[in-house]
Amino acid sequence: MQKLFTALIILCWYSAFPSDKLLVAEAFRTHEVIKIDGVINEHSWKQAPEINGFQQSRPLYDVRPSQFTAVHILYDDKAIYIAAILYDTSPDSILKQLGRRDEDDLNADDFYIKIDPYLNNQDAYQFGVNAAGVQFDSRFSDYTYDAVWNSSVKITDEGWLVEMEIPYAAIRFPEALTQQWGLQITRSIRRNREFDQWALTPLTAPNPQIYWGVLNNLEKIESPLRLSFTPYVASTVTRQPITTEDNKTTYSNSLEYSAGADIKYGIDDRFTLDMILLPDFGQVQSDKKVKNLSYREVVFDENRAFFKEGVELFGKDNLFYSRRIGKKPSGYNDIYNNLQPGETVVKNPSQVKLLNAFKISGRTNNGLGIGFFNAITNQTYAEVNDSTDHIHKVLTEPLTNFNIIVFDQQLKNNSSFYLLNTHTNRDKGYNDANVTDAGFVLSNKQNTLALYGSGAISQIFSEEGASSSLVNTIGYKYAVGVEKQGGKLQYGIGREEVNNEFNTSDLGYYIIPGYVQHSAHVNFAQYKIWKVIRESFHNLNINIESNYATSDLRFSRFHYNSFLNLLSFNAVYFGGNVSPLKVYDYRESRSDGRKYRPYKYYVLFAGFSSDYRKKIAIDAELTSAQLMEKYYDFFYQGNISFRFRINDHLFIKTFSQYTNDPNSIGYAYTDQPSNKSILGLRELITYENSLSANYMFKNDMSLSIVGRHYWNTGDYNSYFNLLDNGELETRPEIDDINNFSSNFFNIDMVFEWRFAPGSFLNLTYKNSIETDGELFTTNFNENVSNVFASPTTNSFSVKILYFLDYLFLKKITDKKPKQ
């Protein structure tokens, strides 16, 4: 292993240095009021130096663009201003699809300015607008970044115009009399998939920022007081089914009101406090729920804005999974499992309530990022009615405090080092948890070689015995690797070790502990046109895992895939993976120390994606797999998605997937009183269909509808005893006692009106049905009829959120005449 690492370092240590002759742009200080209206008629614009000389990056590298672009930059004491004249010889062909803010991949031309105020080539802000006026913003380190800024566009006889105003309150920059910022400006011409850059960056560059230009002549600017207050009021009406003791369904209606606020305060020009009080998350998008037969955890996307924005510092090493906060109570299912005769559940909240949360984050002028996060969730009780009509409360989740602190030091050459700690503290004698993690990335000057490593220690504090003595269960994990980055050919190797006691699931993502993993990868990219192929990307990954305690192999996979972008701008991809080695799974039995030997398998897949510029676009994929021993029926899965761009206002997308797994072997139940694990051979069939439609009345007003139906059935064919050597012994006397049918059906309809910067009105309707029971039919239409006849949960909510900025309020106050 040591020789291999040494060889890789020698191979990786090459690459051309970026040119020291970086492009330079000059900003011009203005003293007149700049009106952001898409009309570039103020005198200051004529005084500002013109930025031009763009080069084409795609589809042909380093050639003259098909259209000319000119940009001017102004600044004053409160903001930086950008004017772009995007000439076009065919202005009637400019594509301009409407969309919601930050909605990517719209069929429209766009313009971006990207700035690196600290000029350290490690992070940057980007602000963009498309020809329909849709705004986009993000940070390279945080793609959920959302700022309040102004822009306007106009289509003219010569092309289109852009005006932007970016307040200093929206960005962070160092304290200095004269500023020098990294700068990149780009333009996309959608109809021919052209991408132009002011500072042309090599397609194979591992860190494109080192090729950016610089923006000079920013003098005597200061960060303003950054203080905003975003109060909200909301009301929700819910109609929810209740199943009585005699299996009859009744409905309860509830009306709830809530109010709260989000407060952002700039402690100084570098650090920001973000606090949320009494939040309401009733309008977040419904989760894409699935039937989970595995011991692995199903992970859902985070749809709550507070936990999506500004959390990049806390996401190191997968130690922060924000869905832990406000999750389903840990004792939710126990309420139903522990009911006594004559008892019924009156109330059992399915979500823990978040009381408040705040985060402080920022980075010093020396590149030290500091983050502090804290959240408190309330205790949660279920209500149970006993046989005497007495209602008593049962605790399902205690009062809990979640805490994270992180230090992240940026070093030269895109290198870094971090130290992070997460802590979960629970009331009522529940377990507490603590995780401490450190890691580093060291890169050479060209950023072509990276050495990385990390190590973590987890602690679970639990009370045991009548004396309630505290037990501290300690686990550890470490990882190390080296990668060659950039260029057409990239490769690397890595090693990771996790002992059996390592546990980060109290606040982080759950990983299956107890393994030693060795991995290697090789990537190859080809950017030159070859016959009908415009560019291609190829990847080979090898992963071998052994059990930490026994050294048995627990996982092996060799994976290959290729992606080909064609001259027609259609794309095809294909690949496969194989598990050719004998491995042992110590988790599927759901019993400690009981191993199971899964059968060897292989998988093949291929897909197609058509040109998204067309009115109708198609994505399709077909996957086939087969066990390489004993059971030889094919697994197959197919999905197809259609994208209908009816016009610039209406966009519809459909998705359909069918999966048939005839030879799924997994845990069925535990036999009593022998306490032996019983596994089953089952045929799993899954249908998933979804439809989303979005109508944009204008840039700040939209109506969206998302509907999804998921149906999964399991039909058990045979059952097995799990033997001590991991093999299976048939149990022919067991009948089909575990067959199941699970449905999840959701409709979300949302009307959103952004009536002012950072402010919006939301009207949301939700309809949901969940069924999970015996398998009565395998007929799709019959199942759909049964689903629609099942009890339905409906809710309608109204939420108004208004953004109040201190500087804006101060400006209004200052304009009032003195008495």
Side-chain angles (χ1 to χ4, degrees), residues 126 136 250 303 364 434 443 463 572 593 791 796 809:
Q126 59 178 359
F136 313 91
T250 62
N303 296 316
T364 68
N434 188 82
S443 300
E463 295 181 359
V572 296
F796 178 77
L809 295 176

Side-chain angles (χ1 to χ4, degrees), residues 574-594:
F574 55 87
N577 59 75
V578 61
S579 179
L581 306 178
K582 183 183 289 188
V583 299
Y584 291 93
D585 189 330
Y586 280 77
R587 295 278 173 168
E588 189 61 43
S589 67
R590 311 299 201 272
S591 176
D592 290 342
R594 300 278 297 176

Side-chain angles (χ1 to χ4, degrees), residues 142 144 306-315 320 359 373:
D142 178 17
T144 65
F306 178 83
F307 293 106
K308 290 174 63 177
E309 299 170 3
V311 295
E312 69 279 3
L313 275 176
F314 307 105
F320 180 41
K359 52 182 181 276
F373 174 92

Side-chain angles (χ1 to χ4, degrees), residues 142-155:
D142 178 17
Y143 279 85
T144 65
Y145 164 85
D146 207 3
V148 177
W149 52 284
N150 296 320
S151 65
S152 181
V153 304
K154 278 196 181 300
I155 306 293

